[in-house]
Amino acid sequence: MLNHFISTIPLFDAGIRRLLAAQCMDDASVNYGATVDFRKGFPEASCGIAAACITAFYTPESEFYKNPELLNRACLAMDYQLAKQHEDGTIDLVETNFHDSTSNAFNIQGLGPAYKILRRFTSHSPEEDALEERLYRFTKASGDAMVNCGFHTPNHRWVVSGALALCYSLLGDESYLHHIHRFLNEGIDCDENGEYTERSAGTYNIICNRSLILIAHELGMPELYDHVTRNLYLSMKYFEPDETICTMNSTRQDAGTDPSISAYYENFLYMAIETQNPEFAWMADYLQTKNLARFTLSPSSAAGSTAYFYRFLLEPEFVQKMLATPTKPPVPKYETLFVESGVYRYRDYDLSFTLIQNQPMFAKLQYKQHRVFFRFAGSFFGTLGQFQAQEILPIDNGYRLHYHARQGYRRPFMEKPDTWKWRDMDHSKRETVCVQDFDVNLDFSVHGNKLNVTVSTCGCERVPVKMELLFDAGGLYETPDTEFFTKPGDYVFWKRGTCQYRYSDGCAFVLNGGFYAHHYGATMRGSCGASPQCFTIVTTGFTPVEQVLSLSVE
């Protein structure tokens, strides 16, 4: 395995330079000592500045080693942070959460390792002692706040526990350890496939993994690595051919985004060393050589490296263990149905295919960086017609998405109700008549570079339906007698036969089997409506429908 410590130093130093340039040094400003978030126009916590400066100050390989200005900058950052800390010890995540002890936890996960570095290497100069006193005050108040206050989301339990593990290691307060075990007693919410509750492959998987790694190391609980191992293997099955992460089934803010797989770098690095897993080691090496230049992109990037630098500095044997870790490339070829998560994933090197339960965007076919998404809807009693698969079922040579809806009409009450107020009436006592069913089966099978889709409906007749295929705009749409360059929001009806969608690099999706019965598409009642960002190809019909489509990659 590569030496991730030494090769990252130049990138880390570049990040420090950007951080120092961004830190507000105007003593008349309300932001003095902090860094203004470019997107928000105000600072959040400044602990990351202190953590990065401390780490660089005590790293012999860094160009900032023993540079006294870093201690000054760290003190200024901590002064800003302490001034923002409430009497109960909590701090704010100004963009949304106030008196939020979980914000303390996120910050302690970065600051705690730097505090450990300072305590190990301090020469007890007046400047170092002054900084350590600030770190103690913030850490003690934060630890107490995390014990005495609460959390919002499932991942926060492990973020708080990871931070408290650092606080316990630093301060030895038994109440911290007791609080951690209260959370652990709830059980780790990581299923047998490695999926956490929030299914957040782009954000909170990484945070949960990092937190469990901290708890395992600081409290000597290596059994927690098993959960992280399962999640990393699952997460690798969410990696797309263009090295983004499939987030279609996330329940958090990363849903539908395309984050880089480099977000998992630190997870792979630590787990490779701790468990001697050769596939994780290969991933860490690959991401380091390909993606670590991100540390030079923003002032906050240097702070992000602090949490994994500390063990390289504090444990020389950790570096040797890293260098002795074998590597083995994972094979990007698999087919997996995650039943509990409601996700099917297929990967064959440059081609991937995804099915998602309980989402209107229920399928995605991707070849390299090019992708097409699928939606289906029928104009059935308002919102009841928007297809969201209730089941993913294995069938011969593929998988079926099934959806069922039922609706009817209500009759008058047989007896006078207790109230004239509509919302207070017990409508379950009404007779329901003219009940109609709407059943849709979408069958998918992948054969080499070709995806077959069978559309089958039954139940209520004459329901207008549509199948939408959503592409990234900017390509060339071609039929035997028409072609045009697409732009965002374009919406075309595919009547029959063959069409194709070609990109500037020569790659094309070839579509066969279109059908057409109406042009009630973009404005169909109860459906998601046309996408303003995508180019959409639509096929339409009236129930019952029995049709076969195919998409091939050329």
Side-chain angles (χ1 to χ4, degrees):
M1 192 173 180
L2 299 174
N3 191 327
H4 289 251
F5 175 56
I6 295 300
S7 57
T8 303
I9 293 294
L11 303 174
F12 174 63
D13 284 348
I16 293 291
R17 288 193 291 274
R18 289 179 177 268
L19 184 150
L20 295 177
Q23 187 180 20
C24 178
M25 295 301 291
D26 178 2
D27 60 7
S29 170
V30 296
N31 301 322
Y32 184 43
T35 299
V36 175
D37 186 292
F38 179 76
R39 296 175 297 109
K40 302 174 187 177
F42 54 80
E44 290 286 3
S46 58
C47 294
I49 302 172
C53 289
I54 292 167
T55 302
F57 182 83
Y58 290 109
T59 300
E61 294 80 3
S62 170
E63 68 181 71
F64 295 97
Y65 180 59
K66 297 293 185 175
N67 184 330
E69 179 60 17
L70 268 65
L71 296 181
N72 176 52
R73 295 298 192 96
C75 281
L76 291 176
M78 290 310 303
D79 285 341
Y80 177 88
Q81 190 62 72
L82 287 165
K84 302 298 182 183
Q85 196 164 24
H86 300 293
E87 289 185 7
D88 60 5
T90 61
I91 61 175
D92 299 331
L93 177 61
V94 181
E95 70 174 42
T96 185
N97 295 331
F98 303 91
H99 289 261
D100 176 20
S101 65
T102 62
S103 290
N104 295 74
F106 279 105
N107 280 277
I108 286 291
Q109 285 200 9
L111 188 64
Y115 190 0
K116 295 185 77 169
I117 291 170
L118 183 147
R119 286 181 56 170
R120 170 72 66 85
F121 297 114
T122 181
S123 59
H124 289 290
S125 66
E127 294 78 13
E128 289 169 300
D129 287 347
L131 177 57
E132 182 171 0
E133 188 274 334
R134 290 167 168 82
L135 296 177
Y136 173 83
R137 277 196 285 145
F138 182 77
T139 302
K140 180 66 171 70
S142 294
D144 293 347
M146 287 184 279
V147 167
N148 296 322
C149 300
F151 67 97
H152 280 157
T153 59
N155 78 84
H156 285 168
R157 297 172 298 166
W158 316 129
V159 175
V160 168
S161 296
L164 283 174
L166 285 164
C167 290
Y168 177 73
S169 177
L170 286 160
L171 307 180
D173 190 320
E174 292 292 329
S175 69
Y176 303 162
L177 189 61
H178 176 69
H179 201 69
I180 293 169
H181 283 287
R182 290 180 66 183
F183 280 130
L184 292 174
N185 190 52
E186 298 179 8
I188 308 297
D189 59 324
C190 183
D191 69 20
E192 65 275 10
N193 294 314
E195 190 84 274
Y196 292 110
T197 298
E198 292 162 285
R199 302 176 183 176
S200 175
T203 303
Y204 291 102
N205 281 9
I206 300 154
I207 288 169
C208 288
N209 289 339
R210 183 179 67 217
S211 299
L212 294 180
I213 290 168
L214 270 173
I215 301 166
H217 173 66
E218 295 296 330
L219 301 185
M221 302 179 68
E223 64 273 17
L224 296 180
Y225 293 138
D226 293 342
H227 303 288
V228 183
T229 295
R230 291 201 311 279
N231 179 262
L232 288 181
Y233 274 121
L234 173 133
S235 298
M236 289 166 70
K237 289 183 170 61
Y238 287 153
F239 291 175
E240 297 289 19
D242 62 348
E243 298 185 352
T244 59
I245 304 166
C246 180
T247 61
M248 293 173 68
N249 72 320
S250 174
T251 64
R252 297 302 306 274
Q253 63 265 37
D254 60 320
T257 62
D258 301 300
S260 169
I261 65 174
S262 63
Y264 280 88
Y265 169 71
E266 289 86 354
N267 283 181
F268 282 123
L269 176 61
Y270 262 122
M271 289 300 293
I273 301 170
E274 287 290 3
T275 67
Q276 293 291 286
N277 185 301
E279 290 182 303
F280 296 169
W282 188 92
M283 287 299 304
D285 282 0
Y286 177 76
L287 294 177
Q288 190 214 42
T289 56
K290 187 176 180 65
N291 296 311
L292 273 186
R294 70 189 189 279
F295 281 143
T296 66
L297 299 180
S298 69
S300 62
S301 59
S305 64
T306 304
Y308 75 89
F309 259 41
Y310 84 116
R311 290 188 63 187
F312 293 136
L313 295 174
L314 298 179
E315 306 169 31
E317 66 278 8
F318 196 65
V319 176
Q320 297 308 311
K321 189 176 180 181
M322 171 181 62
L323 297 176
T325 304
T327 63
K328 175 186 174 182
V331 178
K333 186 177 176 66
Y334 51 79
E335 183 178 14
T336 306
L337 174 62
F338 299 118
V339 176
E340 183 71 20
S341 303
V343 179
Y344 166 78
R345 284 284 295 170
Y346 173 92
R347 177 82 184 270
D348 189 356
Y349 291 88
D350 286 337
L351 184 82
S352 71
F353 180 60
T354 308
L355 295 174
I356 301 288
Q357 198 169 308
N358 300 319
Q359 295 288 345
M361 197 87 78
F362 55 80
K364 177 175 73 165
L365 178 68
Q366 181 159 337
Y367 180 74
K368 296 184 178 178
Q369 73 272 29
H370 305 302
R371 67 262 178 97
V372 52
F373 296 90
F374 294 76
R375 296 192 307 203
F376 185 93
S379 190
F380 181 76
F381 289 92
T383 59
L384 293 180
Q386 180 63 59
F387 181 93
Q388 297 189 51
Q390 294 149 342
E391 295 178 285
I392 303 178
L393 304 170
I395 58 174
D396 290 343
N397 300 316
Y399 285 84
R400 169 172 293 172
L401 300 185
H402 174 70
Y403 176 74
H404 168 77
R406 169 174 284 190
Q407 185 59 282
Y409 299 87
R410 294 176 292 199
R411 297 275 296 154
F413 286 111
M414 298 299 292
E415 298 179 1
K416 181 179 176 63
D418 296 333
T419 176
W420 57 267
K421 295 181 179 179
W422 175 265
R423 291 180 178 84
D424 294 340
M425 292 178 180
D426 183 1
H427 295 287
S428 67
K429 294 181 179 180
R430 295 181 184 271
E431 181 186 6
T432 303
V433 297
C434 300
V435 175
Q436 300 296 315
D437 293 292
F438 181 61
D439 284 277
V440 181
N441 288 322
L442 303 179
D443 296 347
F444 296 86
S445 60
V446 181
H447 305 279
N449 68 340
K450 183 178 182 180
L451 173 68
N452 291 321
V453 186
T454 300
V455 182
S456 177
T457 73
C458 63
C460 185
E461 297 182 354
R462 292 289 295 165
V463 177
V465 297
K466 62 176 179 175
M467 171 78 87
E468 296 173 321
L469 289 75
L470 293 83
F471 300 81
D472 292 321
L476 183 66
Y477 176 70
E478 303 173 349
T479 71
D481 54 9
T482 302
E483 67 177 30
F484 65 89
F485 288 101
T486 67
K487 61 183 184 298
D490 282 348
Y491 196 92
V492 302
F493 291 90
W494 173 27
K495 287 191 171 183
R496 63 184 64 85
T498 300
C499 64
Q500 68 177 10
Y501 192 57
R502 187 172 299 280
Y503 300 92
S504 59
D505 61 3
C507 175
F509 288 109
V510 179
L511 288 68
N512 280 284
F515 55 95
Y516 176 83
H518 58 80
H519 52 257
Y520 186 36
T523 60
M524 180 179 284
R525 287 185 63 177
S527 73
C528 292
S531 167
Q533 294 86 29
C534 297
F535 163 60
T536 305
I537 298 175
V538 193
T539 62
T540 64
F542 290 100
T543 60
V545 172
E546 293 288 339
Q547 296 286 345
V548 178
L549 309 174
S550 70
L551 284 81
S552 299
V553 178
E554 289 188 352

